[in-house]
Amino acid sequence: EKNRATGLEQQTTKALVSDATFQREFGNLSLVNGGEPVEIKVAGDSNVAFEVDGLVRNGWQLLLNSAKGTPTEGDVTEVRDTASRLREVLQNPSNYETLPESALSEFEGLREVVPVLSGYCFADSVKQVAESRGVRWVHTDGKGFAVEARVSK
C-alpha cells in the first residue's frame, strides 16, 4: 500500500526548508517529491526495501527527515541506519527504483546524506543523543516552521 504522508511528515519536512538555522548551514534547500514520502526498492524487486518520511536537497546533500510525534533515542539509531541505506542508493542509483519513479532523478549529483530527526515533543536526553551521534534535529510548531533546531556545532 502506498505510504500516505500525515500532517507531521509534511510539516516537519517543510520546516527543514523554511528554517533559518538549516538555511545557514545548508544554503538553498528544496523539497524532493514535493515533501511527500518516497519508497525505495532494489531494482527489479517488487518489495519495498525502505521508505522515508521526507527528503530535502541542496546541490550536493540529501537531508533525510524522520518524523516522529515524540522522538526517542531509538529513533536516533533508526534514522542513522536509514541514512546509511540511502547513501548506498546515492552511490549505486542504477541498483534501485523509487516510488514515485521521478524521485530517483532528484538524487542525481548528490553525494552526502544528512540524517534529521523531527517532531513535536523532544526530551532533552534525545536532543543530546542526537547531537552526540551526528543527527540534526528540528522541533516543529505544527505549522511547518521550526521553533528550535540544532545543526552542526
Side-chain angles (χ1 to χ4, degrees):
E1 179 177 310
K2 185 176 188 285
N3 185 1
R4 306 231 185 259
T6 66
L8 177 61
E9 285 96 352
Q10 286 289 307
Q11 290 166 2
T12 57
T13 301
K14 289 177 181 176
L16 296 179
V17 173
S18 64
D19 183 70
T21 304
F22 277 81
Q23 290 174 354
R24 275 192 300 278
E25 181 174 359
F26 299 105
N28 187 30
L29 296 168
S30 60
L31 297 170
V32 172
N33 189 38
E36 293 281 334
V38 175
E39 294 179 349
I40 299 171
K41 301 177 178 188
V42 174
D45 188 342
S46 63
N47 295 319
V48 174
F50 64 102
E51 61 185 89
V52 296
D53 293 335
L55 298 167
V56 173
R57 63 167 287 159
N58 61 18
W60 67 96
Q61 296 166 306
L62 187 61
L63 279 67
L64 163 65
N65 181 37
S66 179
K68 307 293 180 186
T70 304
T72 66
E73 291 179 22
D75 294 326
V76 173
T77 300
E78 181 181 312
V79 73
R80 283 175 48 94
D81 291 347
T82 302
S84 179
R85 296 174 84 183
L86 199 50
R87 277 184 200 95
E88 171 66 24
V89 175
L90 294 184
Q91 292 169 357
N92 300 293
S94 62
N95 294 342
Y96 295 92
E97 298 172 351
T98 59
L99 289 175
E101 285 182 30
S102 60
L104 191 61
S105 66
E106 293 187 68
F107 298 171
E108 235 175 80
L110 303 178
R111 299 182 300 274
E112 183 181 332
V113 177
V114 179
V116 179
L117 187 58
S118 60
Y120 297 135
C121 303
F122 271 90
D124 287 338
S125 62
V126 174
K127 292 176 186 177
Q128 291 168 357
V129 168
E131 288 178 29
S132 73
R133 302 206 50 214
V135 174
R136 276 66 166 190
W137 54 265
V138 62
H139 172 193
T140 185
D141 64 2
K143 297 176 186 159
F145 296 98
V147 293
E148 182 181 24
R150 170 65 75 185
V151 292
S152 65
K153 294 180 181 182

